[in-house]
């Protein structure tokens, strides 16, 4: 098939895991003989591409009409620009006309939607006009929440606020304009949460892990008397890093180290607050290969998120390298980590419980060794070919879907 991938962010422009997953699935489909086109957002007009071949894929990288590009989300100080940005993302007719040109040039048989925020959700109507089947991948809660996370003021939202209700209604109208559309998510928890607010039961749905293939580590783990904990990811309040460091502080008399890998909005605050701690190292943002090497050289990965994480790729990377995980019992994390088998699940935001979990693996090395052996045995579950075939089967199911029943 000729498959168009729509993802506002796409390598080499990477801010998170969604765009890495979009690239990995696209690359796998390309290896199966499909022709791949990609529509993504450019950081600036000078970076625009119009059907250029990159890594064997046809790339349309277009600077979308917005007050600021999606890559500046979270860094914009003028808060009054945000409502304008979102209104354009929902309603601007130039979103549709931009996509229409790409559709006419590439003429896809199928469309994989990975990340519409920044391209415009109303572009689905252009796919509907042409009766192009669509697989809508949900790496987050954007279908139900303007912020993408259903997380606000330090806690998960149990209900939609008025702006999110309005946004969800527009998005519902948009995806209903596509006759053959199916929804999948790497996390069953997030699939069910989106389905709760968007009534997706009339459509094909699936829970499929990301078909990622990560570079192998170029280092080998060496034995250490010190238990080496590591966090890898964005430094954002929803990630719970501040809480993790407080939990580690409570066992300061034990032999451990904690490395914080990544950058983000909270980096400077965390460095100022904890940078002087002798057991804690902040690396800042590092290239993917270095992040993988640092995980491989550690003993335990920590994922202390307090929001509904989807299916963190960093957990899959760690388990695939035999590195057990202490993770928050929230979102899709419990779907990856088997409690007391490949790691520990801990109540999100519970500093005392997290401190106890860290202490347990410092003092009980036999349990840690067991977790490492069990994690290694699960590596085949994350094989790209195995997961890619599940995506291919789901795409076939969408192609043969007769459409949502009339209401």
């Amino acid at each position: 098939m000729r498959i168009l991938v729509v993802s506002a962010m796409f390598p080499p422009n990477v801010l998170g895991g969604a765009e890495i997953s979009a690239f990995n699935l696209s690359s796998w489909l390309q290896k199966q003989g499909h022709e791949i086109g990609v529509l993504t957002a450019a950081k600036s007009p000078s970076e625009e591409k119009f059907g250029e071949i990159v890594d064997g894929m046809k790339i349309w990288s277009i600077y979308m009409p917005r007050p600021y590009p999606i890559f500046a989300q979270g860094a914009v100080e003028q808060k009054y620009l945000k409502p304008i940005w979102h209104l354009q993302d929902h309603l601007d007719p130039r979103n549709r006309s931009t996509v229409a040109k790409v559709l006419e040039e590439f003429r896809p048989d199928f469309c994989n939607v990975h990340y519409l925020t920044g391209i415009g959700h109303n572009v689905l109507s252009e796919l509907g006009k042409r009766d192009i089947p669509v697989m809508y991948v949900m790496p987050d809660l954007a279908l139900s929440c303007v912020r993408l996370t259903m997380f606000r003021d330090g806690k998960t939202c149990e209900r939609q606020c008025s702006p999110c209700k309005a946004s969800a209604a527009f998005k519902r109208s948009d995806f209903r304009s596509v006759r053959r559309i199916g929804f999948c998510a790497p996390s069953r928890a997030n699939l069910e949460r989106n389905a709760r607010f968007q009534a997706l039961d009339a459509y094909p749905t699936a829970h499929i892990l990301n078909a990622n293939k990560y570079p192998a580590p170029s280092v080998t783990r060496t034995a250490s008397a010190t238990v080496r904990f590591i966090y890898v990811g964005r430094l954002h309040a929803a990630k719970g890093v501040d809480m993790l460091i407080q939990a580690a502080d409570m066992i300061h008399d034990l032999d451990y180290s904690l490395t914080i890998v990544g950058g983000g909005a909270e980096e400077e605050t965390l460095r100022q607050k904890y940078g002087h701690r002798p057991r804690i190292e902040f690396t800042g943002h590092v290239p993917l290969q270095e992040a993988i090497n640092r995980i491989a050289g550690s003993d335990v990965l920590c994922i202390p998120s307090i929001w509904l994480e989807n299916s963190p790729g960093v957990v899959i990377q760690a388990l695939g390298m035999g590195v057990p995980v202490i993770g928050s019992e929230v979102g899709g994390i419990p779907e990856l980590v088997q409690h007391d088998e490949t790691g520990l699940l801990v109540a999100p935001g519970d500093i005392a419980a997290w401190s106890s979990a860290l202490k347990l693996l410092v003092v009980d090395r036999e349990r840690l060794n067991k977790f490492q052996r069990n994690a290694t045995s699960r590596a085949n579950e994350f094989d790209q070919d195995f997961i890619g075939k599940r995506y291919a089967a789901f795409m076939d199911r969408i192609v043969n879907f007769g459409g949502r029943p009339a209401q």
Side-chain angles (χ1 to χ4, degrees):
M1 291 192 295
R2 188 179 294 116
I3 302 170
L4 179 67
V5 175
V6 181
S7 182
M9 290 180 283
F10 197 83
N13 295 326
V14 173
L15 289 180
E19 48 271 33
I20 294 174
S21 299
F23 174 79
N24 273 278
L25 179 57
S26 301
S27 298
W28 185 85
L29 289 168
Q30 185 182 43
K31 291 175 185 175
Q32 311 315 304
H34 299 288
E35 184 180 351
I36 304 297
V38 178
L39 171 59
T40 188
K43 285 186 174 181
S44 65
S46 64
E47 293 187 9
E48 287 190 309
K49 295 180 175 65
F50 300 94
E52 295 181 27
I53 302 295
V54 180
D55 295 328
M57 304 178 196
K58 279 190 174 181
I59 306 293
W60 282 266
S61 180
I62 299 173
Y63 189 70
M64 300 299 293
R66 300 287 189 276
Y68 50 87
I70 187 171
F71 307 95
Q73 287 275 25
V76 177
E77 296 181 0
Q78 300 95 328
K79 292 186 178 181
Y80 71 90
L81 291 176
K82 293 183 184 293
I84 299 172
W85 196 98
H86 285 293
L87 281 172
Q88 284 189 287
D89 206 54
H90 284 71
L91 302 172
D92 195 326
R94 290 173 293 180
N95 301 334
R96 297 200 306 269
S97 61
T98 295
V99 171
K101 292 176 183 177
V102 176
L103 295 176
E104 291 303 315
E105 290 181 35
F106 189 61
R107 297 192 175 276
D109 305 305
F110 196 93
C111 182
N112 287 353
V113 168
H114 285 266
Y115 204 93
L116 277 180
T117 303
I119 296 291
H121 212 273
N122 57 346
V123 305
L124 286 174
S125 62
E126 293 299 322
L127 298 166
K129 284 180 187 177
R130 296 161 175 80
D131 195 26
I132 299 171
V134 174
M135 178 173 72
Y136 192 113
V137 181
M138 299 182 292
D140 50 33
L141 295 171
L143 203 58
S144 306
C145 175
V146 173
R147 295 177 183 82
L148 319 183
T149 59
M150 294 205 75
F151 182 87
R152 186 178 184 182
D153 298 329
K155 59 184 179 180
T156 297
C157 305
E158 292 304 322
R159 295 185 299 273
Q160 290 175 309
C161 62
S162 296
C164 287
K165 283 183 179 179
S167 170
F170 279 118
K171 291 170 181 175
R172 187 160 50 249
S173 175
D174 291 330
F175 71 67
R176 285 183 174 178
S177 70
V178 182
R179 183 174 68 89
R180 291 177 292 173
I181 187 169
F183 300 85
C184 65
S187 156
R188 183 180 289 107
N190 276 21
L191 173 62
E192 291 172 352
R193 195 165 183 83
N194 271 319
R196 169 184 165 191
F197 293 105
Q198 288 291 16
L200 302 181
D201 54 321
Y203 300 90
T205 59
H207 159 230
I208 310 175
L209 292 176
N210 293 316
N212 290 341
K213 186 171 184 178
Y214 300 101
S218 58
V219 299
T220 302
R221 184 184 303 117
T222 57
S224 171
T226 300
V227 175
R228 298 159 296 190
F229 296 106
I230 189 170
Y231 168 86
V232 178
R234 288 187 300 116
L235 301 186
H236 184 277
K239 295 293 189 176
V241 180
D242 189 291
M243 182 276 304
L244 171 63
I245 297 174
Q246 291 182 57
D249 262 356
M250 294 173 68
I251 59 167
H252 62 85
D253 54 329
L254 298 179
D255 193 11
Y256 76 91
S257 66
L258 173 59
T259 302
I260 308 296
V261 179
E266 297 289 308
E267 180 178 1
E268 188 56 36
T269 299
L270 291 171
R271 281 182 181 273
Q272 289 182 3
K273 193 172 181 180
Y274 302 110
H276 62 284
R277 300 290 202 277
R279 297 186 183 276
I280 298 175
E281 176 191 2
F282 289 89
T283 71
H285 176 76
V286 301
L288 177 61
Q289 185 65 62
E290 182 179 343
I292 288 172
N293 285 348
R294 283 185 174 268
I295 296 172
S298 300
D299 298 302
V300 183
L301 175 74
C302 298
I303 301 293
S305 297
I306 55 177
W307 78 289
L308 292 171
E309 285 278 7
N310 201 332
S311 182
V314 68
V315 173
I316 295 173
Q317 291 176 59
L319 294 175
M321 293 186 283
V323 178
V325 177
I326 303 178
S328 293
E329 194 170 10
V330 66
I333 296 174
E335 298 169 22
L336 298 172
V337 180
Q338 295 171 302
H339 181 66
D340 211 27
E341 291 294 330
T342 59
L344 298 171
L345 293 171
V346 186
D350 188 331
I351 297 175
W354 267 87
S355 185
S356 296
L358 296 172
K359 180 178 180 179
L360 178 63
L361 295 191
V362 173
V363 301
D364 191 347
R365 295 302 291 264
E366 182 51 42
R367 187 187 297 255
L368 176 56
N369 292 337
K370 181 190 79 168
F371 289 174
Q372 291 171 340
R373 292 192 298 270
N374 291 343
T376 301
S377 70
R378 290 194 62 196
N380 288 340
E381 297 177 31
F382 311 122
D383 177 73
Q384 187 184 43
D385 286 332
F386 174 78
I387 297 171
K389 289 173 183 176
R390 292 194 62 199
Y391 273 105
F394 185 58
M395 292 165 67
D396 285 341
R397 183 179 162 199
I398 294 169
V399 169
N400 295 312
F401 175 54
R404 184 174 65 94
Q407 293 183 349

